[in-house]
């Protein structure tokens, strides 16, 4: 079974600084997708970024980028120029590329932005 | 927004009572999912559906049943609620195509006293 591990329950960063959230996963598959979701206090689950395992290039969405290391099964999220609105729970999720497979989530990292 | 509505948004009920949560989508997607979110566990899959009347169990399905009589509606039922089912419940839909992310409803906070 696939597992996703987020080893940092809480992180904090000064506003305008850069922070990196860690995620590792375990799978025997070679074809899969990885996602980062953001959950602000409003409880919404918001997709931040997506990475396909077969793409070597790291995904980027504005201030959000990932460091995808397939061999190490690592998928970290870097947030640049942190803003107060970035404060949220961040979940890493895995999905193998077969039909419409379920997502397997990590336990989340709570990010606090310090003004 | 992905066009998913969950109802109710909040519910408090007593142990032993039946509870039904509703997920409604306007996207006409085949795949729908129910997850529960608990501290220290992230989101875990309860049940999912791949079409009308086609459903299957997820990793935490004990004590839950689902039904899907129409494409747009996916119901989650707790036949006899227990305090361990106090949680936040999320519905999700998945567009067709490889690698499509799931889109989530706003969640239902369910408290069982």
């Amino acid at each position: 079974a696939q597992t996703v591990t987020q080893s940092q329950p809480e992180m904090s960063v000064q506003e305008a600084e850069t922070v990196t959230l860690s995620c590792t996963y375990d799978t025997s598959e070679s074809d899969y997708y990885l996602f980062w979701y953001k959950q602000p206090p409003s409880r919404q689950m918001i997709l931040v970024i997506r990475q396909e395992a077969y793409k070597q290039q790291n995904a980027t969405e504005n201030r959000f980028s990932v460091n995808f290391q397939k061999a190490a099964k690592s998928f970290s999220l870097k947030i640049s120029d942190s803003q107060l609105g970035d404060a949220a729970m961040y979940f890493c999720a895995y999905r193998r590329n077969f039909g419409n497979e379920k997502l397997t989530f990590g336990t989340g990292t709570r990010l606090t932005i310090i003004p | 927004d992905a066009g998913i509505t969950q109802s109710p948004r909040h519910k408090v009920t007593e142990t032993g009572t039946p509870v039904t949560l509703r997920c409604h989508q306007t996207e006409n997607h085949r795949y729908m999912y129910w997850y529960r979110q608990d501290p220290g566990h992230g989101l875990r899959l309860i049940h999912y559906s791949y079409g009308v009347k086609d459903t299957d169990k997820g990793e935490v399905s004990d004590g839950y049943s689902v039904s899907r009589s129409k494409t747009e509606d996916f119901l989650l039922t707790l036949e006899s609620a227990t305090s361990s089912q106090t949680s936040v419940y999320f519905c999700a839909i998945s567009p067709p195509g490889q690698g499509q992310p799931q889109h989530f409803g706003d969640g239902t906070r369910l408290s069982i006293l």
Side-chain angles (χ1 to χ4, degrees):
Chain A
Q2 294 83 14
T3 59
V4 177
T5 301
Q6 293 180 250
S7 59
Q8 306 153 315
E10 297 182 351
M11 293 279 286
S12 60
V13 63
Q14 292 276 355
E15 193 175 2
E17 297 295 309
T18 295
V19 64
T20 298
L21 309 184
S22 301
C23 173
T24 58
Y25 58 95
D26 187 25
T27 183
S28 58
E29 305 284 341
S30 59
D31 191 7
Y32 52 86
Y33 288 83
L34 296 162
F35 305 86
W36 279 98
Y37 281 88
K38 168 185 177 182
Q39 186 181 45
S42 66
R43 207 167 70 199
Q44 288 179 292
M45 292 289 289
I46 302 165
L47 177 68
V48 175
I49 203 163
R50 172 180 62 176
Q51 176 77 44
E52 182 178 359
Y54 273 111
K55 287 190 177 177
Q56 292 186 338
Q57 186 174 4
N58 289 325
T60 299
E61 291 287 343
N62 300 313
R63 297 182 295 108
F64 298 86
S65 61
V66 297
N67 184 4
F68 173 50
Q69 301 290 328
K70 191 172 183 179
K73 296 180 182 175
S74 171
F75 182 60
S76 60
L77 175 70
K78 186 172 82 170
I79 306 173
S80 304
D81 185 25
S82 297
Q83 300 175 0
L84 295 178
D86 295 333
M89 281 287 284
Y90 286 83
F91 291 98
C92 179
Y94 163 97
R95 189 179 121 186
R96 69 173 179 147
N97 190 21
F98 179 77
N100 281 71
E101 280 279 306
K102 66 162 187 170
L103 289 170
T104 299
F105 286 87
T107 52
T109 296
R110 183 173 301 281
L111 178 65
T112 300
I113 310 298
I114 303 167
Chain B
D1 288 343
I4 311 170
T5 304
Q6 289 186 235
S7 58
R9 286 274 287 161
H10 307 274
K11 186 173 182 67
V12 180
T13 190
E14 294 184 347
T15 300
T17 60
V19 178
T20 296
L21 307 182
R22 180 180 184 239
C23 178
H24 178 78
Q25 62 149 331
T26 58
E27 307 296 317
N28 203 36
H29 292 326
R30 267 183 72 194
Y31 286 83
M32 300 183 75
Y33 310 81
W34 277 108
Y35 293 86
R36 61 178 287 175
Q37 181 181 10
D38 304 290
H41 290 279
L43 278 76
R44 293 177 293 174
L45 183 69
I46 305 171
H47 282 280
Y48 67 99
S49 171
Y50 44 97
V52 173
K53 293 186 169 47
D54 291 325
T55 65
D56 208 346
K57 295 179 180 180
E59 61 183 302
V60 290
S61 60
D62 287 349
Y64 301 95
S65 62
V66 291
S67 66
R68 192 161 177 208
S69 58
K70 298 184 290 185
T71 299
E72 58 265 36
D73 289 326
F74 192 31
L75 304 180
L76 177 70
T77 297
L78 291 65
E79 300 290 349
S80 179
T82 67
S83 58
S84 65
Q85 294 175 311
T86 292
S87 187
V88 178
Y89 291 85
F90 284 95
C91 176
I93 62 175
S94 183
Q98 290 188 354
Q100 291 296 320
Q102 292 181 10
H103 300 288
F104 289 81
D106 289 339
T108 294
R109 181 175 294 280
L110 178 62
S111 298
I112 301 164
L113 307 177

